[in-house]
């Protein structure tokens, strides 16, 4: 079975503060991990995926297979980062579904 | 192509009625997915198609739910004899096979009274 855990529901920080959104997963194979973001009144959109190893809008995430984690980080939060963030896992082989965590609300205060 | 589109955006119905939702994927994407999202939860997988073939269905998809993708392009999700527990946001996503990343539509919010 595949499972994604986002242990916190809300993270509130001041502008300029560092951000770390936690994500842990459970999967027996080698998963592909994603972060999706949903801004207010907008659709769910892909933020980044671990195989790309990119930095998008200043966010990075490193897959740690030993700790089965894929935490999302940004060194200096901006007000426009306020949104709902979901971690998701894609299984390998014939299993094409995304399994999402419950999401975390990031609130960046001025 | 402006991305995945869904219609309607909102649907209010009475318990026991049937409803049908439509999803138009990104044109070159051969995979299409349906998810359901309730308050405080992440999206939960319902079913997916590769071209016109329905390849996987979740146990969440009771026999009142049926999905089709007749020509491998748009898809419909029908819920028969709706129940209040069916109230949720129904999301559609599409992707290229083997590409991994799924792109989501705006969703259809269903309210069953």
């Amino acid at each position: 079975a595949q499972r994604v855990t986002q242990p916190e529901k809300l993270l509130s920080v001041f502008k300029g503060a560092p951000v770390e959104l936690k994500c842990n997963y459970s999967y027996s194979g080698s998963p592909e991990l994603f972060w999706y973001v949903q801004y207010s009144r907008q659709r769910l959109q892909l933020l980044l995926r671990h195989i790309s190893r990119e930095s998008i809008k200043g966010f990075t995430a490193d897959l740690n297979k030993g700790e089965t984690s894929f935490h999302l980080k940004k060194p200096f939060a901006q007000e426009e980062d306020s949104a709902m963030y979901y971690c998701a896992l894609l299984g390998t082989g014939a299993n094409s579904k995304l399994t999402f965590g419950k999401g975390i609300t990031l609130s960046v205060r001025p | 192509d402006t991305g995945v589109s869904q219609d309607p955006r909102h649907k209010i119905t009475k318990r026991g009625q049937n409803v049908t939702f439509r999803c138009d994927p990104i044109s070159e994407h051969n995979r299409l997915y349906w998810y359901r999202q309730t308050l405080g939860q992440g999206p939960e997988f319902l079913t997916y198609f590769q071209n016109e073939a329905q390849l996987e269905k979740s146990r969440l998809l009771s026999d009142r739910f049926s999905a089709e993708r007749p020509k491998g392009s748009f898809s419909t999700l029908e819920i028969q004899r709706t129940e209040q527990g069916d109230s949720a946001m129904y999301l559609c996503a599409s992707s290229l096979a083997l590409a991994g990343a799924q792109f989501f539509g705006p969703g259809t919010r269903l309210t069953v009274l």
Side-chain angles (χ1 to χ4, degrees):
Chain A
Q2 51 195 64
R3 187 169 62 245
V4 174
T5 302
Q6 294 180 252
E8 300 156 331
K9 288 187 177 181
L10 171 67
L11 179 64
S12 184
V13 301
F14 285 107
K15 177 182 172 182
V19 166
E20 183 179 48
L21 307 182
K22 296 186 188 301
C23 172
N24 288 89
Y25 68 90
S26 173
Y27 185 67
S28 57
S30 293
E32 188 169 354
L33 275 294
F34 302 82
W35 277 97
Y36 280 82
V37 60
Q38 189 166 29
Y39 301 103
S40 180
R41 301 181 189 275
Q42 294 187 26
R43 67 181 67 190
L44 201 59
Q45 50 186 279
L46 178 66
L47 180 62
L48 53 78
R49 55 195 297 187
H50 89 269
I51 61 171
S52 299
R53 302 185 68 80
E54 295 173 302
S55 173
I56 305 293
K57 299 184 179 183
F59 285 97
T60 58
D62 291 317
L63 180 61
N64 184 323
K65 292 185 178 181
E67 296 183 357
T68 60
S69 69
F70 188 56
H71 303 327
L72 185 68
K73 299 178 183 179
K74 184 168 183 175
F76 307 104
Q78 303 299 313
E79 289 180 68
E80 55 266 30
D81 297 328
S82 295
M84 192 78 177
Y85 291 80
Y86 294 94
C87 182
L89 178 156
L90 183 71
T92 54
N95 184 342
S96 272
K97 67 179 183 182
L98 281 172
T99 298
F100 285 85
K102 291 187 177 183
I104 180 170
T105 300
L106 173 63
S107 174
V108 182
R109 293 169 286 171
Chain B
D1 194 332
T2 56
V4 179
S5 62
Q6 292 186 246
D7 183 71
R9 296 290 304 276
H10 304 273
K11 179 70 177 179
I12 300 174
T13 192
K14 292 183 179 179
R15 190 174 53 185
Q17 297 296 304
N18 299 344
V19 294
T20 300
F21 310 141
R22 177 180 170 127
C23 171
D24 287 87
I26 294 171
S27 57
E28 62 268 26
H29 286 181
N30 51 3
R31 286 193 174 177
L32 186 149
Y33 309 81
W34 286 99
Y35 293 83
R36 180 170 67 187
Q37 186 174 22
T38 53
L39 198 62
Q41 303 294 321
E44 295 175 295
F45 172 79
L46 293 178
T47 187
Y48 94 93
F49 294 83
Q50 179 156 318
N51 300 313
E52 64 275 11
Q54 188 173 17
L55 296 187
E56 188 175 348
K57 291 194 290 186
S58 164
R59 284 172 292 180
L60 292 175
L61 212 65
S62 78
D63 56 7
R64 295 185 297 106
F65 287 69
S66 62
E68 293 184 342
R69 194 183 183 198
K71 297 182 180 180
S73 56
F74 73 92
S75 175
T76 58
L77 177 69
E78 181 183 16
I79 309 174
Q80 295 183 326
R81 305 181 304 281
T82 52
E83 301 173 357
Q84 287 184 325
D86 297 331
S87 295
M89 178 74 86
Y90 289 84
L91 297 170
C92 177
S94 69
S95 75
L96 289 168
L98 305 180
Q102 296 178 18
F103 296 87
F104 284 79
T108 294
R109 181 169 295 284
L110 173 65
T111 302
V112 182
L113 302 176

